[in-house]
Every structure is written in C-alpha cells, then in structure tokens.
Amino acid sequence: MTKELGIGLIGTGFMGKAHAFAYRAALAAFPDIPVPRLEMIADVDHGIASTAAKQYGFARATTDWRALVSDRGIDVVSITTPNVFHKEMALAAIAAGKHVHCEKPLSPSLAHSLIMVEAAEKAGVATQVGFNYIKNPLLKMVRDMVAAGELGEITGFRGIHAEDYMHDPESPYSWRIDPAGGPGVIADLGSHIIGMARFLLGPIAEVSADVRTVVKSRPVAKGAAERKDVWVDDVARILVNFGRGCGGTIEANWIATGRKMQLGFELTGEKGSLVFTQERLNELLLYKAGGDAKTSGYVKIEAGPQHQPYGQFCIAGGHQLGFNDLKTIEMGEFLRAIGEGAKAGPDFREAYEIQKVVEAAIASSTARGWMAVG
Ligand code: NAD
C-alpha cells in the first residue's frame, strides 16, 4: 500500500473548496488510507490561489495548472474547473502519470469524454468522477436491498434532480449556460440522477425525452441591460426503460422555484418501496407490502453507525452526515483504491456511460421519439 499521496487541486470555487475539505478530513474518517499530502493549488488569479492554499492548508499555490499536473510531488490531481477545461487538464495529468479526480460532467462532448476514458485506461491510472451523492451510506443499503431482492421485482423508478439556481431570468449568463460547456441542466443536474438510477438499478437501455429551454435570454453580466440568447436546456423530462426490464421517469430542472436540492427518487417493487431525497439525506422511507392494513405504512429509517461508513464520522445515530461528509467518503474511497492499486468508482468509464444517457435523451427530444442508449 502506498503510504502517502501528494494532492494537487485545480480550481478553488464551490467544488474546489469541497475537495479541499474532503482531502483534509479523509484521514480522520479513514485511518487505513494513504496520507493525503496537500501539495499545491492552482487557480487563474494568484491572490485567489495563494489565499486558498493558506486557508485549506496546501503547501504551494500557482496560476499555472500545467505546472501543477507535471509537478513531481503530486500523485493525484483534482479537477474542479468549469466543464470546458476538464479534457485538456485531465489528459495532461494522465500523460504525466497522475491519478485523476474530475468533477462531473466529464466533458461537454461525448466524443471528448471517450478520449479521456481511453487515455486513462491505457495509462492505467485511477480515475474518479464527482458523483458524490451516491456515496450516501443509505443509498449503498438501497442498492444492496435491491440486489438481494428485498423489494421483489422492481416495478418502477421515479427520479428527480430539481433546484432553482437558474429560475430568475435575471441570473446572468455564465459558463453553465454557454453551450461550449455542454448541454444545460440535463448534464449539470441530470447526470447526478441518471448516475443514481444506474447505481441502484443498472443500465438504462432506452429513453424518450422532452428537453426545453424556458428562459430564452439572460443578461450578459449581473445587472446588465444587454442580453444574450440561451440555447441550453432548463428542464429535461425523460421516460426511461432500464435494461433489467422496469420503466421509470427522470426529471432534471434548474428553474424549479423554491427547490434547493430535490435530488431523490421513489423506487417501487413488488414487495415494497423506498423513498429518498437529498433534502433529508439522513433518512430513508421504507414501505413493506403485506403487513396489517391498519398499521402498515412508510417507516422512517434514520442513518447511524449501522450504515457504514457513517460510524467513521460519528458514533451516534441521528447526529447526521452532511454534503461535505459525502465528499469525504468519495475521496477516502479514491485514495484507498489508489493505495491498493484497485479500481475506484464511479470512474471515467461510468461517467461516460452516464453521459451516453444524457446524449440519447437530447437526441430523442430532437427526434420526438424513443432512442436507444449508446
Ligand atoms: P466555480 O465557478 O465555483 O469554480 C470554478 C473554479 O475554477 C474557479 O475558482 C475558477 O477561477 C477556476 N478556474 C477556471 N479556469 C481555470 C484555469 N484555467 N485554471 C485554474 N483554475 C481555473 O464552479 P463549481 O461550481 O465549483 O463547478 C466546477 C465543476 O464542478 C463543474 O464541472 C461542475 O459541473 C462541478 N460541480 C459538481 C458538483 C457536485 O455535486 N459534484 C456541484 C457543483 C459543481
């Protein structure tokens, strides 16, 4: 087992901070993993990079991400920049023999994502992509319950990822809206719920989607009078058929006024159902069919140390994990896999499979019909 791994972090925004938190906390939660040595941070502005390095406890700061990926003290590169930069940064890191964690979506283009997958697999480096929500210990239990047949034959999946950070038509144009960064909400949020559906139930075989732009233009900058046309989607509603036989629906929506983090699902089987939402990520509702009609109903399961690795964070049930803890589980698993020379997950290949569903949904919306995935 490798004893220590030098960490290089590119980007210090929303996700950059979450990665920094996770690398700092990973060893406290998982003492068996290689020690993450916080080596270098890169961002476009020297002041931002050096302030972040100091605040997050990294030894060095740079404005040159190329210097970071080729640095000999760095073994693992975390990419938390806007999507359009992922491919170039990941390929350079892979070429330098580094293990790569890249935020989702892998890249704005399916063809580019495949190049990233093949480069990583050829180089034999470990990869992981930031689908942090499936690191919830309760969701691992759901997956195990489904696999063990505890819900019987699965008959349906209703999934959603809805937030409202784009609901205001005066929210300015940004890299998230720019088609160069990929399609809109279906890639940004849809990839999370598609990934979750695949994690729980396996591959999605075909889709039929309605993908639409609702806010047709946005100010070029905050408060600007000048507006720019929007081409990427705000809402995607997708009918899905899983390879295992059951059907379902998936919605991705970033103009769902009032919703901050409605990432969740209702999963129904012949013997029972499960309900989850990230808004209450420490809870799972379980319904078991066949009980006394007078007392049967959904039972609330509360997360606790019996749902590992919850206990690595807190020995007491009901005290609750948070978003940054899920990110810490993700990084802990990644570092452990690297140390053991094992495969991490979800890796670049899985992110590519998720993106195939995204692309099929867009194609089906354009064609107004069903589309096979891949
Ligand atoms: P952000 O805008 O908050 O941060 C991006 C950072 O990258 C900024 O610090 C920016 O200065 C920096 N940057 C841009 N170009 C750079 C360059 N050439 N070199 C170095 N640094 C550069 O964005 P964000 O919300 O953190 O999103 C970043 C990525 O994370 C995206 O791919 C996004 O889809 C993903 N994301 C994932 C989750 C999740 O739950 N896993 C949540 C939000 C965002």
Side-chain angles (χ1 to χ4, degrees):
M1 156 89 86
T2 313
K3 289 204 164 39
E4 203 177 83
L5 292 168
I7 310 294
L9 173 61
I10 312 179
T12 63
F14 178 19
M15 274 308 105
K17 186 165 192 169
H19 282 226
F21 264 120
Y23 284 121
R24 283 183 68 95
L27 193 64
F30 306 106
D32 59 321
I33 63 172
V35 175
R37 182 170 26 77
L38 307 182
E39 196 61 46
M40 199 189 298
I41 280 190
D43 209 309
V44 284
D45 177 89
H46 184 68
I48 291 174
S50 53
T51 302
K54 195 169 163 211
Q55 190 181 345
Y56 305 155
F58 280 69
R60 292 178 283 158
T62 180
T63 52
D64 181 3
W65 64 265
R66 289 184 185 281
L68 183 150
V69 299
S70 58
D71 191 277
R72 294 175 63 155
I74 288 173
D75 306 291
V76 179
V77 174
S78 255
I79 302 170
T80 70
T81 52
N83 309 335
V84 74
F85 301 116
H86 292 180
K87 173 179 162 245
E88 193 184 9
M89 291 173 173
L91 291 182
I94 291 165
K98 315 296 183 186
H99 306 289
V100 183
H101 186 298
C102 183
E103 269 306 331
K104 44 57 59 179
L106 207 45
S107 85
S109 133
L110 190 63
H112 286 181
S113 293
L114 183 58
I115 293 170
M116 294 165 74
V117 173
E118 289 176 345
E121 290 178 353
K122 192 163 172 226
V125 297
T127 60
Q128 194 172 39
V129 183
F131 293 105
N132 24 260
Y133 303 107
I134 61 169
K135 298 302 175 184
N136 187 327
L138 288 177
L139 295 196
K140 286 185 184 154
M141 184 176 77
V142 171
R143 183 163 84 157
D144 292 346
M145 288 173 75
V146 169
E150 288 182 40
L151 300 179
E153 192 70 33
I154 300 302
T155 52
F157 177 88
R158 289 189 282 141
I160 186 163
H161 193 160
E163 300 190 26
D164 72 354
Y165 53 91
M166 291 294 181
H167 87 106
D168 181 356
E170 298 311 310
S171 285
Y173 205 89
S174 71
W175 64 263
R176 279 196 164 80
I177 298 286
D178 191 337
V185 72
I186 195 167
D188 200 36
L189 298 185
S191 59
H192 276 302
I193 184 61
I194 291 166
M196 194 174 280
R198 283 177 52 88
F199 176 72
L200 299 174
L201 297 180
I204 293 170
E206 56 177 0
V207 292
S208 176
D210 181 70
V211 170
R212 58 179 65 192
T213 308
V214 177
V215 180
K216 307 279 190 206
S217 73
R218 293 186 182 270
V220 292
K222 198 168 189 297
E226 188 190 344
R227 298 182 77 85
K228 202 167 171 179
D229 288 344
V230 173
W231 296 104
V232 303
D233 53 298
D234 294 311
V235 185
R237 299 180 178 92
I238 317 170
L239 288 172
V240 299
N241 281 328
F242 289 86
R244 65 189 298 138
C246 74
T249 60
I250 286 179
E251 177 176 332
N253 189 334
W254 63 20
I255 54 163
T257 312
R259 283 293 176 191
K260 307 303 170 193
M261 189 15 105
Q262 191 191 22
L263 168 60
F265 58 82
E266 294 203 7
L267 181 57
T268 47
E270 287 172 334
K271 294 189 200 165
S273 304
L274 283 164
V275 181
F276 171 79
T277 175
Q278 176 70 17
E279 290 168 334
R280 304 185 72 83
L281 75 123
N282 290 273
E283 292 176 14
L284 189 63
L285 297 180
L286 168 65
Y287 178 88
K288 283 188 176 170
D292 182 340
K294 290 201 290 277
T295 53
S296 74
Y298 279 96
V299 170
K300 185 176 83 179
I301 299 166
E302 260 185 288
Q306 65 278 21
H307 307 111
Q308 279 294 22
Y310 178 107
Q312 301 296 117
F313 292 81
C314 180
I315 56 168
H319 284 53
Q320 311 209 347
L321 300 184
F323 172 81
N324 286 319
D325 298 322
L326 303 187
K327 211 72 194 164
T328 302
I329 297 171
E330 182 184 337
M331 293 316 178
E333 288 182 359
F334 188 44
L335 297 177
R336 181 184 292 112
I338 294 170
E340 292 174 349
K343 201 168 134 26
D347 59 5
F348 277 15
R349 173 71 62 181
E350 170 60 8
Y352 173 68
E353 293 299 327
I354 292 168
Q355 195 167 353
K356 281 206 261 188
V357 181
V358 167
E359 296 288 330
I362 293 165
S364 87
S365 181
T366 307
R368 311 308 291 166
W370 283 89
M371 197 68 65
V373 174

